[in-house]
Amino acid sequence: MRVIIKDNADIVSQWAANYVAYKINAYKPTPSKPFVLGLPTGSTPLGMYAELIKLYQAKKVSFENVVTFNMDEYIGLEPTHPQSYHYFMQENFFKHVNLKPENIHLLNGMTRDFAKECSEYEREMRKLGGVNLFIGGVGEDGHIAFNEPFSSLTSRTRIKTLTESTIKANSRFFDNDISKVPTMALTVGVGTIMDAREVMILVTGKKKAEALKHGIEGAVSHVWTISELQRHPHGIIVCDKDATEKLEKSTVEYFLDIERNKF
């Protein structure tokens, strides 16, 4: 596992965006060999999306031959709902770059057949040869996507009941009214994420410090699903200094040292 420690969240966003652009450009995608990118929502990746838009506008990266799969979607929210992840992605990223609409994949939270929706999502990923790079954030309780504590580490795309802590955390997007927050979602599984050739998790702020500690220094456990990244052959955590406040000093020094002269 690589752990990239930056001074603040803005620099985390810049590093992550540059890394995504670097991976796409190095892959040299074509219509018959697209770069497959897994994408998150939430407040943490917003800065990365803003930086990716700048890189696109500066002609430093193109998304013409990129295919995307989003991590999750609330059940019961129309795609046009301001808090749906369809709307989030359209407003904060998709409409600002040259992604082709047919190359954008998002789970349908309004479907009547959840099992079919989830199995077809997995099938589409496999048909494209798998995800090249899956990007994610992490919850305060260590969850990645909507894989809450005690989710199976081999889980696949499925329906998931959200915990009270996640609903409370997400209520800030719903006028701080818990009653407005959907209680269920469709989400890729931990196993789905770990199938990607590379996984990059973004962690910023002191509220994520406990999750980061368990993700890096703790045992691999379904209690903290971020910890499964320890077993990925190409896992990266990009974090700010605030998020490292609960790590051992020696841990921070180690990762700073080995990353000193890398990209």
Side-chain angles (χ1 to χ4, degrees), residues 172-186:
R172 68 189 188 277
F173 303 117
F174 292 83
D175 303 319
N176 290 309
D177 186 346
I178 290 177
S179 68
K180 293 181 180 179
V181 185
T183 59
M184 303 185 81
L186 297 178

Side-chain angles (χ1 to χ4, degrees), residues 223-243:
V223 180
W224 299 85
T225 53
I226 186 179
S227 65
E228 179 67 358
L229 194 64
Q230 295 176 29
R231 298 201 290 197
H232 196 284
H234 300 289
I236 303 176
I237 288 177
V238 192
C239 60
D240 63 5
K241 285 186 177 178
D242 281 348

Side-chain angles (χ1 to χ4, degrees), residues 201-251:
I201 302 296
L202 311 180
V203 189
T204 58
K206 293 183 179 182
K207 289 184 177 181
K208 306 295 178 69
E210 188 72 21
L212 186 64
K213 180 176 179 62
H214 283 277
I216 295 174
E217 295 178 340
V220 175
S221 168
H222 64 177
V223 180
W224 299 85
T225 53
I226 186 179
S227 65
E228 179 67 358
L229 194 64
Q230 295 176 29
R231 298 201 290 197
H232 196 284
H234 300 289
I236 303 176
I237 288 177
V238 192
C239 60
D240 63 5
K241 285 186 177 178
D242 281 348
T244 68
E245 71 171 14
K246 293 192 176 183
L247 294 177
E248 295 293 331
K249 183 180 178 182
S250 59
T251 301

Side-chain angles (χ1 to χ4, degrees), residues 65-85:
N65 295 314
V66 173
V67 174
T68 66
F69 286 87
N70 261 76
M71 280 189 155
D72 39 34
E73 178 59 285
Y74 287 118
I75 288 175
L77 293 190
E78 295 280 357
T80 54
H81 189 287
Q83 297 307 326
S84 75
Y85 292 155

Side-chain angles (χ1 to χ4, degrees), residues 86-104:
H86 281 69
Y87 186 89
F88 176 99
M89 292 304 303
Q90 186 66 25
E91 292 300 308
N92 292 297
F93 186 51
F94 293 156
K95 75 178 187 180
H96 303 286
V97 297
N98 63 334
L99 270 163
K100 297 175 182 175
E102 62 268 27
N103 286 346
I104 295 171

